[in-house]
Amino acid sequence: METALTPSPAKAEIIKNAKAHVLALLEEKLPGKLVYHSPKHTMQVVKEARALGEAAGLEAPDLEALVLAAWFHDAGYIDTYDGHEFRSAELAGEWLTSQGYPAERTALVQSLIKATHRDSERRTQLERLMVDADMSGMGREDFFANGELLRTEWEAALGRTFSNPEWAESQLDFLTTARFYSPEGKKRYSEQFRENIKAQRKELKKKEKKLKKKEEEAEGTFAEPKRGIETMFRTMYSNHMKLSDMADKKASMMISLNAVLMSLIITYFGAKLGSKTAALSNVGLIRNPIIAVPMGILLATALGSVITAILCAQPDVTSFKWLKRSPQIATNRRVNLLFFGNFSKLSLDDFQDGMHQLMKSGESVYTNMITDVYYLGDVLTRKYRLLRLSYTIFMVGLILTALSFGIALLYKM
């Protein structure tokens, strides 16, 4: 004789038929972007529901209702995302009714499905077991892999995007606020659940550390500058030194050349003017006074060129008379304590105080370096302006000398 707690052979087939129906339904109508709430997730929940039900010693009808609820609990995703539990309950009721399943058992299955909604109260043992089976992922080793699938699904289906630290934080919030309701769920998942919380906290700290490092690298800080900033200053200093050295060498070349020209011209004029015999001779300036014009132009050219070249090569030291009276030397943006032209006006005590202030503030260090580069550029601008003037005078003087000499030859002829 058949008992009330033992399902009939016809009823025993209901779970098999429900499996075929739900898998076919999900395969046909479930949106492809739902990569977490997939048939695989449903089968995993069914497996956990059966294990929890057996561990709780459920009678066959109750275990059957629990497993049926597990099969249908996510079927509503084919039509809606938020509130899918209620649509799932409707789909389960329609199908079970079409299979001739008892109305009171159908209502039980529907109530178990609705219990998985986040705002539902879990009053009965079956409801607690159902919720624990649905949330069993947070107490399994595949929690993190499934979490990435859920993240992808939310981005595709809901448009919710998360940075790595934000996702790690949201997962940790979920783990620390969630719990298992049934004694069987706590016993089965608690150990791995605690391990997952520890691992998630560790992952969050790791993400936050990476994010902080990335932000510091992107923004740069005065306390810990990027290598690129140091390379930039090193390159700028090197380039300024090279340009200054080039200017000095070019100025030295002009000084030497024009000094030789002036020596030759002065020697020539001195010899002619200092010798009465030469002055009375038929050769020289008295015989050809017009030749003095190109020689005079060449002399003036050499003199102007050598003067500007000397000014270019002349050391130029930037200093400030009021520097001694500055109360905050290290923070003054116009003062460069790294340059002797500035700090040589200070007493040793003031200089030491200023350097100590400088070393305490990374921003002041960079301010002084920037000031130093600025004044180096200012000196270089003056050097190259004078050097250009020296070369221009020399070039124009040579042209005028050649023209005047040609005119003198034509006049003589």
Side-chain angles (χ1 to χ4, degrees), residues 63-92:
L63 181 60
E64 179 182 87
L66 181 64
V67 173
L68 285 171
W71 275 115
F72 279 94
H73 85 286
D74 277 347
Y77 274 114
I78 64 172
D79 294 324
T80 184
Y81 200 94
D82 192 24
H84 69 276
E85 296 87 354
F86 302 102
R87 179 55 181 155
S88 298
E90 290 177 2
L91 292 172

Side-chain angles (χ1 to χ4, degrees), residues 263-276:
S263 297
L264 292 174
I265 296 171
I266 292 172
T267 300
Y268 179 76
F269 273 111
K272 293 297 182 183
L273 295 175
S275 175
K276 291 182 179 181

Side-chain angles (χ1 to χ4, degrees), residues 12 63 118 123 174 195 200 215 276 281 329 335 340 353 380 411:
L63 181 60
R118 58 182 175 275
R123 298 187 181 90
F174 167 69
E195 291 297 322
Q200 190 62 50
E215 289 175 349
K276 291 182 179 181
S281 64
I329 298 170
V335 176
F340 77 94
D353 290 341
L380 275 180
Y411 178 79

Side-chain angles (χ1 to χ4, degrees), residues 362-378:
E363 183 176 1
S364 297
V365 172
Y366 280 100
T367 299
N368 271 258
M369 293 176 71
I370 292 169
T371 305
D372 193 28
V373 171
Y374 175 83
Y375 284 120
L376 282 174
D378 189 48

